[in-house]
Amino acid sequence: MPSEEERAERRVVILGTGGTIAGTAAMAQDHTGYQAGALSAADLLASVPALAGQVLETESVAQLDSCDMDHATWLKLAAALQRHLARPEVAGVVVTHGTDTLEETAAFIHFTVAASKPVVFTAAMRPATAPSPDGPQNLVDACTLAREPGVQGVLAVLGGKVHAGMGLRKVHGYHVDAFSSGDAGPVAQLEDGCVRRFRDWPDTGGEWAAALARDDQAWPVVDILTSHAGARGALLRAAVAAGAQAVVLAGTGNGSVHKDLLAAAHEAIAQGVRVLRASRCQLGGVVGESRSGLPSAGELTAVQARVRLLLELRTAKD
Ligand code: SIN
């Protein structure tokens, strides 16, 4: 095992993409009316004295409110990750991100970047200007995990818990403890600056790396529709008419779909549109088959299933 000093020498790259962790508010008590992504990755690092003296580099990939995350930024982030992970002197990479679409970006990176070193996402629910921001501790924990020997795959650290990137779900809109690893639970946790692992690190991923080589503009159209009381098939037909090549249905409970939406889904499938049914529940995914005849997204959340369809269609293109 490396000594504390040797560990501190291990180089970590911090890639900034924006989010509340890099957000600033005019008033310290303002936890919602702030500008997300106001700080660059370098400014964010400079605002955390606990990281002084560590071997760290920063690069700002974007400064977005993550509700505005887009496919072009995903490509840029994936390219930056591939570039830094290939450097022998880099032990791991931290990605700072908004909490709102963290699970989508984590899924995209898991599917497209083979991470034999740690890729550690982190974020915050309170802006950097809050009296008690959660971002600085999360960033310190993420850097600790990124330089830990033997770690691999896409992970996310929030509130001391280490989640597998593909298991991650945002389950609360305001609480600091906003994320869950679902039924599997966290992979590890940070205790007094040490990593305590509960189960295996995730696999390295990168199954759809070929999607990164395609033309930037060649993104298939994949939409998500929610099933609910009184759901209308007309919305699904409108999505198909507007060019949707695939649709994820966020079904009720174990992925069940309102009969009007279901009829429209079968029409869409007959026209060659891919349809997957996921669950609108935060936890649990979809278990088993259903009489609806619609293929299931299994454990994937609706947004993760959308990312998978996007990549399947993009790589199938040529
Ligand atoms: C965002 O997702 O960029 C804003 C919200 C957050 O980071 O908590």
Side-chain angles (χ1 to χ4, degrees):
M1 285 297 276
S3 67
E4 274 310 302
E5 292 71 33
E6 286 165 341
R7 216 176 270 256
E9 289 299 306
R10 288 168 62 80
R11 182 175 296 269
V12 170
V13 179
I14 301 174
L15 298 178
T17 68
T20 298
I21 190 166
T24 56
M27 286 183 302
Q29 68 273 24
D30 201 343
H31 285 179
T32 56
Y34 55 85
Q35 191 198 336
L39 302 178
S40 67
D43 290 343
L44 183 58
L45 172 60
S47 73
V48 184
L51 290 171
Q54 297 192 12
V55 184
L56 296 167
E57 288 175 32
T58 58
E59 180 179 328
S60 280
V61 173
Q63 286 183 235
L64 288 175
D65 184 322
S66 82
C67 72
D68 294 327
M69 184 51 68
D70 52 51
H71 303 156
T73 307
W74 279 351
L75 286 185
K76 208 172 154 194
L77 176 62
L81 280 165
Q82 286 182 322
R83 184 162 32 86
H84 290 297
L85 291 171
R87 294 169 56 200
E89 72 277 23
V90 170
V93 182
V94 168
V95 181
T96 58
H97 198 284
T99 60
D100 286 350
T101 55
L102 183 51
E103 71 195 74
E104 290 171 65
T105 303
F108 181 84
I109 296 302
H110 169 81
F111 285 138
T112 56
V113 177
S116 54
K117 297 175 184 176
V119 171
V120 185
F121 281 80
T122 196
M125 291 297 286
R126 294 179 179 159
T129 45
S132 174
D134 47 331
Q137 182 66 55
N138 286 345
L139 191 55
V140 169
D141 286 346
C143 290
T144 302
L145 185 63
R147 67 163 55 87
E148 178 80 3
V151 181
Q152 65 168 39
V154 175
L155 298 152
V157 182
L158 297 121
K161 292 178 190 150
V162 181
H163 306 275
M166 287 305 295
L168 194 69
R169 282 131 177 76
K170 185 173 181 183
V171 293
H172 202 285
Y174 185 76
H175 287 172
V176 171
D177 190 13
F179 283 85
S180 166
S181 271
D183 295 331
V187 183
Q189 66 187 25
L190 272 294
E191 294 174 351
D192 285 350
C194 296
V195 179
R196 181 172 161 215
R197 181 160 67 94
F198 301 133
R199 54 193 172 88
D200 288 347
W201 300 115
D203 64 70
T204 53
E207 198 178 344
W208 276 287
L212 302 180
R214 299 289 188 274
D215 166 13
D216 269 18
Q217 307 306 318
W219 288 99
V221 181
V222 184
D223 291 320
I224 301 176
L225 291 173
T226 302
S227 188
H228 52 82
R232 296 186 304 144
L235 283 187
L236 179 40
R237 292 185 191 100
V240 173
Q245 292 154 270
V247 177
V248 179
L249 297 175
T252 41
N254 189 42
S256 52
V257 175
H258 186 286
K259 58 183 171 42
D260 289 1
L261 205 47
L262 186 59
H266 282 295
E267 286 168 29
I269 290 170
Q271 292 169 51
V273 175
R274 294 277 308 275
V275 179
L276 279 184
R277 64 186 179 93
S279 173
R280 69 181 200 185
C281 297
Q282 291 288 338
L283 303 174
V286 174
V287 178
E289 298 305 318
S290 88
R291 277 173 295 145
S292 71
L294 297 183
S296 150
E299 291 183 347
L300 301 181
T301 62
V303 292
Q304 290 171 336
R306 177 184 175 274
V307 173
R308 201 182 73 184
L309 282 171
L310 205 59
L311 294 170
E312 281 182 23
L313 290 171
R314 190 170 153 93
T315 46
K317 243 182 144 46
D318 301 333

